[in-house]
mmCIF file of all heavy atoms in Angstrom:
data_model
loop_
_atom_site.group_PDB
_atom_site.id
_atom_site.type_symbol
_atom_site.label_atom_id
_atom_site.label_comp_id
_atom_site.label_asym_id
_atom_site.label_seq_id
_atom_site.Cartn_x
_atom_site.Cartn_y
_atom_site.Cartn_z
ATOM 1 N N CYS A 337 -8.932 -15.722 -11.111
ATOM 2 C CA CYS A 337 -8.090 -16.912 -10.899
ATOM 3 C C CYS A 337 -7.082 -16.638 -9.781
ATOM 4 O O CYS A 337 -6.654 -15.495 -9.594
ATOM 5 C CB CYS A 337 -7.282 -17.236 -12.154
ATOM 6 S SG CYS A 337 -8.291 -17.647 -13.569
ATOM 7 N N GLY A 338 -6.683 -17.698 -9.118
ATOM 8 C CA GLY A 338 -5.574 -17.621 -8.159
ATOM 9 C C GLY A 338 -5.815 -16.582 -7.080
ATOM 10 O O GLY A 338 -6.893 -16.491 -6.469
ATOM 11 N N THR A 339 -4.795 -15.774 -6.860
ATOM 12 C CA THR A 339 -4.853 -14.761 -5.811
ATOM 13 C C THR A 339 -6.004 -13.785 -6.031
ATOM 14 O O THR A 339 -6.664 -13.358 -5.079
ATOM 15 C CB THR A 339 -3.480 -14.043 -5.774
ATOM 16 O OG1 THR A 339 -2.563 -14.947 -5.171
ATOM 17 C CG2 THR A 339 -3.512 -12.769 -4.995
ATOM 18 N N ALA A 340 -6.252 -13.438 -7.279
ATOM 19 C CA ALA A 340 -7.338 -12.496 -7.580
ATOM 20 C C ALA A 340 -8.687 -13.092 -7.167
ATOM 21 O O ALA A 340 -9.611 -12.368 -6.762
ATOM 22 C CB ALA A 340 -7.322 -12.147 -9.067
ATOM 23 N N SER A 384 -8.305 -9.047 -11.865
ATOM 24 C CA SER A 384 -7.054 -9.574 -12.420
ATOM 25 C C SER A 384 -5.936 -8.542 -12.295
ATOM 26 O O SER A 384 -6.159 -7.364 -12.565
ATOM 27 C CB SER A 384 -7.278 -9.914 -13.897
ATOM 28 O OG SER A 384 -6.067 -10.258 -14.529
ATOM 29 N N GLN A 385 -4.762 -8.984 -11.904
ATOM 30 C CA GLN A 385 -3.619 -8.078 -11.911
ATOM 31 C C GLN A 385 -3.277 -7.716 -13.345
ATOM 32 O O GLN A 385 -3.247 -6.552 -13.710
ATOM 33 C CB GLN A 385 -2.429 -8.767 -11.216
ATOM 34 C CG GLN A 385 -1.201 -7.913 -10.970
ATOM 35 C CD GLN A 385 -0.373 -7.590 -12.192
ATOM 36 O OE1 GLN A 385 -0.092 -6.408 -12.456
ATOM 37 N NE2 GLN A 385 -0.001 -8.578 -12.981
ATOM 38 N N SER A 386 -3.029 -8.742 -14.155
ATOM 39 C CA SER A 386 -2.524 -8.516 -15.513
ATOM 40 C C SER A 386 -3.600 -8.024 -16.466
ATOM 41 O O SER A 386 -3.310 -7.324 -17.430
ATOM 42 C CB SER A 386 -1.961 -9.824 -16.064
ATOM 43 O OG SER A 386 -2.988 -10.802 -16.103
ATOM 44 N N THR A 389 -5.304 -12.733 -18.098
ATOM 45 C CA THR A 389 -5.478 -14.157 -17.777
ATOM 46 C C THR A 389 -6.577 -14.755 -18.666
ATOM 47 O O THR A 389 -7.715 -14.264 -18.684
ATOM 48 C CB THR A 389 -5.812 -14.327 -16.281
ATOM 49 O OG1 THR A 389 -4.726 -13.759 -15.557
ATOM 50 C CG2 THR A 389 -6.003 -15.769 -15.896
ATOM 51 N N VAL A 435 6.478 -13.195 -9.264
ATOM 52 C CA VAL A 435 5.383 -14.042 -9.769
ATOM 53 C C VAL A 435 4.305 -14.200 -8.691
ATOM 54 O O VAL A 435 3.112 -14.202 -8.981
ATOM 55 C CB VAL A 435 5.943 -15.406 -10.235
ATOM 56 C CG1 VAL A 435 4.828 -16.421 -10.427
ATOM 57 C CG2 VAL A 435 6.704 -15.221 -11.546
ATOM 58 N N ALA A 436 4.730 -14.296 -7.442
ATOM 59 C CA ALA A 436 3.759 -14.403 -6.349
ATOM 60 C C ALA A 436 3.169 -13.013 -6.100
ATOM 61 O O ALA A 436 3.876 -12.077 -5.747
ATOM 62 C CB ALA A 436 4.438 -14.923 -5.096
ATOM 63 N N SER A 437 1.887 -12.922 -6.305
ATOM 64 C CA SER A 437 1.237 -11.615 -6.222
ATOM 65 C C SER A 437 1.100 -11.154 -4.765
ATOM 66 O O SER A 437 0.686 -11.923 -3.899
ATOM 67 C CB SER A 437 -0.159 -11.738 -6.853
ATOM 68 O OG SER A 437 -0.758 -10.485 -6.924
ATOM 69 N N GLN A 444 -6.313 -4.963 -4.947
ATOM 70 C CA GLN A 444 -7.644 -5.473 -5.336
ATOM 71 C C GLN A 444 -8.583 -5.465 -4.134
ATOM 72 O O GLN A 444 -9.746 -5.035 -4.225
ATOM 73 C CB GLN A 444 -7.510 -6.915 -5.864
ATOM 74 C CG GLN A 444 -6.870 -7.004 -7.232
ATOM 75 C CD GLN A 444 -6.273 -8.385 -7.530
ATOM 76 O OE1 GLN A 444 -6.247 -9.271 -6.667
ATOM 77 N NE2 GLN A 444 -5.799 -8.557 -8.751
ATOM 78 N N LEU A 521 -1.793 -20.523 -0.529
ATOM 79 C CA LEU A 521 -1.322 -20.436 -1.918
ATOM 80 C C LEU A 521 0.073 -19.812 -1.979
ATOM 81 O O LEU A 521 0.966 -20.303 -2.682
ATOM 82 C CB LEU A 521 -2.314 -19.616 -2.763
ATOM 83 C CG LEU A 521 -1.886 -19.371 -4.217
ATOM 84 C CD1 LEU A 521 -1.823 -20.665 -5.013
ATOM 85 C CD2 LEU A 521 -2.846 -18.395 -4.914
ATOM 86 N N LYS A 522 0.252 -18.723 -1.216
ATOM 87 C CA LYS A 522 1.552 -18.038 -1.225
ATOM 88 C C LYS A 522 2.649 -18.993 -0.781
ATOM 89 O O LYS A 522 3.703 -19.052 -1.383
ATOM 90 C CB LYS A 522 1.475 -16.853 -0.264
ATOM 91 C CG LYS A 522 1.722 -15.480 -0.586
ATOM 92 C CD LYS A 522 1.467 -14.714 -1.786
ATOM 93 C CE LYS A 522 1.012 -15.340 -3.050
ATOM 94 N NZ LYS A 522 0.076 -14.558 -3.810
ATOM 95 N N GLU A 525 3.309 -21.671 -3.442
ATOM 96 C CA GLU A 525 3.940 -21.142 -4.655
ATOM 97 C C GLU A 525 5.441 -20.958 -4.528
ATOM 98 O O GLU A 525 6.183 -21.291 -5.434
ATOM 99 C CB GLU A 525 3.369 -19.741 -4.973
ATOM 100 C CG GLU A 525 2.073 -19.735 -5.716
ATOM 101 C CD GLU A 525 1.726 -18.325 -6.180
ATOM 102 O OE1 GLU A 525 1.532 -17.451 -5.310
ATOM 103 O OE2 GLU A 525 1.661 -18.100 -7.386
ATOM 104 N N VAL A 642 -0.987 -15.914 -16.961
ATOM 105 C CA VAL A 642 -1.361 -17.178 -17.591
ATOM 106 C C VAL A 642 -2.313 -16.879 -18.744
ATOM 107 O O VAL A 642 -3.530 -16.786 -18.562
ATOM 108 C CB VAL A 642 -1.989 -18.146 -16.554
ATOM 109 C CG1 VAL A 642 -2.296 -19.485 -17.200
ATOM 110 C CG2 VAL A 642 -1.048 -18.333 -15.375
HETATM 111 O O1 M6R B 710 -3.061 -11.561 -13.573
HETATM 112 P P1 M6R B 710 -4.112 -12.242 -12.754
HETATM 113 O O2 M6R B 710 -4.421 -11.525 -11.488
HETATM 114 O O3 M6R B 710 -5.351 -12.534 -13.538
HETATM 115 O O4 M6R B 710 -3.479 -13.638 -12.371
HETATM 116 C C1 M6R B 710 -4.239 -14.584 -11.698
HETATM 117 C C2 M6R B 710 -3.358 -15.677 -11.130
HETATM 118 O O5 M6R B 710 -2.653 -16.319 -12.162
HETATM 119 C C3 M6R B 710 -2.367 -15.135 -10.109
HETATM 120 O O6 M6R B 710 -3.018 -14.473 -9.067
HETATM 121 C C4 M6R B 710 -1.529 -16.280 -9.523
HETATM 122 O O7 M6R B 710 -2.328 -17.106 -8.750
HETATM 123 C C5 M6R B 710 -0.362 -15.701 -8.743
HETATM 124 N N1 M6R B 710 0.811 -16.443 -9.043
HETATM 125 C C6 M6R B 710 -0.595 -15.712 -7.272
HETATM 126 O O8 M6R B 710 0.512 -15.346 -6.533
#
Side-chain angles (χ1 to χ4, degrees):
C337 297
T339 286
S384 172
Q385 188 287 127
S386 60
T389 301
V435 166
S437 186
Q444 287 159 355
L521 176 65
K522 237 34 352 144
E525 277 190 297
V642 183

